[in-house]
Amino acid sequence: MDRRFFLTVVVCIAILALWQTFVAPPPKRITTDNHAVNQNPQSTSPNDSQPTISPQTIIEPKNPAMMGADVASYHEKTSSFENDLFSAEVTTTGGGLRHFVLKQFKEGARKRKQEKHPVSLVSAVDEQEVPTAQLLLAGAPVLFSEVQATTDGADLKGEQSGLAIHLHWQTQLQAYLLKVTTDIENKSAQPIEVATSFKLQGIFNERAVKDRSMFEPPPDILTAVALSDQHLVRHTIGKKDDVSTQERLFWAGIDRQYFLFAAAPTTSDRQNSVFSEDREIKDSRLLHVATTLSPVSKTLAPGQKTHLEYQIFAGPKEVALLKAPGLHFEDAIDYNVWGMPLAFIARPMLWVLNTSYRIFHSYGVAIIILTLVVKLLMLPVTQRAFISMQRMRELKPELDKIKERFPNDREKQGMETMRLYKERNVNPFLSGCLPMLLQMPVYIALWRTLWVAVELYQKDFLWLSDLTARDPYFVLPATLGLSIFLQNKLSPPVGDAQQQKIMTFMMPAMMTLFMVQLPAGLVFYSLVNTLLTIAQQAYINKRFSNTSTIR
């Protein structure tokens, strides 16, 4: 490749990175997206192990035409319950959740002084929550006539189209787990076909996907997901990718970066999961995204009943919590990057991080331990690479002589150079590309791990308040750039003077710019790894200065 062309490309990328990071205005942000939260006015008691129940409230329905029933005299009612982990509000419209807040987690803020709100798993538009986990009958939300608080949740009752419907929300002993049971009885004198479904929905913000810099991490958006006995399906907007009744449906729900709201059917009925989206929101960039679990419809004879039951996980995607119910919720954690399955690297790395955290109570220290483990595993390769680089440095006078002997014959130069490498037992690939190629999957897997591992979410270290967010003061990226500069100065020169200048000056600058937007935990890992590499290089240099032959 022509050196001027290569230098031009590097400079253009650097200018683009600088513009996107420091000059370009941030994309316009809507004020009501999947992060919006309606604060729960009820007080909490951190010592209460049982849910705390609030009085009922009555709300006029916002969209009565969508309810599929006579709403002339209908008034929506709500009832709240909570425990140490979450607060929830149940509505008589569909028996779903109009409010569900995780008390122990805060939404990430883009600015240091921005107020952080508790994480809400119920989306909002125009400061009004969009209920989720609704029971539908013939495609429309069931309109319950009453809701009553219980010691562990809420009871809802109603009659519709000759059917008596009873729905019960119940908290479980396991963290972030709830159970929803529904009993439907035919109260009429005629057979009735019952087509029920359970709809989980949220708001997908297209602007978060389209209006972002190429140097920013992936956006935290809502995605409809479903797990069958064949595969995990993540809904793509505009694509038909439902899970059919031919497959066994384990669960379906709404996924976020670090959080999951999913329902697993526990009755024997075969169910399918249908994804959907619509633009029935005044802002065309906002879409209702939903996954609807639907058992096969049944015909109930007079007096006959049918029973539905779902286990709900609504909380952080912490591996231990997801595995506890034994319903495969842990498969919601996506370790794939650009279609590459990196779980075989990411899961052991996360295990090392969590194990180290249990010992040292700091994920910053855990990242140092992880870096040491990776460095030790790759030590044989990197050690040979450094030695090979030193041998190439010693061969430079002889390589210069080959160029002088064959100034206009590149083919002859290459043949003589390879012969010299073979005689002196030097592997140019090992000294150049191989160590970097081996590190790339580790970097990518760690980046993905930090992106999906809620265990590190908002964990502080030194001046950093969140290892999964970028360094607010750019200390780590700047220090990393200086470290890479020092590493290049200590490394044996490779290539001509122009290439050496690029490696010495441009590479540290480029890495600094790239690392500005990346999670601080990943930049810290890179910094520790670079410092260890500098120490290793200094050791190799000292050995070569003391002896002329190193095996």
Side-chain angles (χ1 to χ4, degrees), residues 103 111 118 129 142 150 155 159 194 198 289 368 378 391 397:
K103 296 181 179 179
K111 298 180 180 179
E129 281 88 356
V142 174
T150 65
D155 262 326
E159 291 191 10
V194 178
F198 195 62
V289 175
I368 296 175
M378 299 187 66
R391 286 175 175 165

Side-chain angles (χ1 to χ4, degrees), residues 11 28-29 34 59 133 137 184 194 202 252 287 305 409 449 503:
V11 171
K28 295 180 180 180
R29 295 177 59 83
N34 60 290
I59 306 172
L137 190 62
I184 302 176
V194 178
L287 286 78
K305 296 180 181 181
D409 193 340
T449 301
M503 291 298 296

Side-chain angles (χ1 to χ4, degrees), residues 137-155:
L137 190 62
V142 174
L143 302 182
F144 292 93
S145 58
E146 59 180 282
V147 56
Q148 292 182 343
T150 65
T151 57
D152 58 359
D155 262 326

Side-chain angles (χ1 to χ4, degrees), residues 218 334-337 342 346 443-453:
D334 182 15
Y335 295 109
N336 297 332
V337 179
L342 295 177
Y443 276 109
I444 295 173
L446 179 61
W447 173 78
R448 190 63 185 180
T449 301
L450 289 172
W451 181 248
V452 300

Side-chain angles (χ1 to χ4, degrees), residues 271-306:
Q271 300 198 22
N272 68 340
S273 175
V274 177
F275 299 126
S276 62
E277 72 264 356
D278 67 72
R279 295 185 181 272
E280 294 184 6
I281 306 175
K282 65 180 181 180
D283 187 333
S284 61
R285 291 290 190 95
L286 298 179
L287 286 78
H288 279 117
V289 175
T291 177
T292 304
L293 296 84
S294 302
V296 178
S297 61
K298 294 181 178 180
T299 299
L300 297 183
Q304 188 178 3
K305 296 180 181 181
T306 186

Side-chain angles (χ1 to χ4, degrees), residues 43-54 80-87 103 150-153 169-173:
S43 61
T44 62
S45 177
N47 298 322
D48 292 343
S49 59
Q50 294 296 327
T52 303
I53 311 300
S54 71
S80 300
F81 59 94
E82 60 185 13
N83 58 20
D84 293 345
L85 301 177
F86 58 79
S87 63
K103 296 181 179 179
T150 65
T151 57
D152 58 359
W169 281 93
Q170 181 182 6
T171 58
Q172 303 289 280
L173 293 177

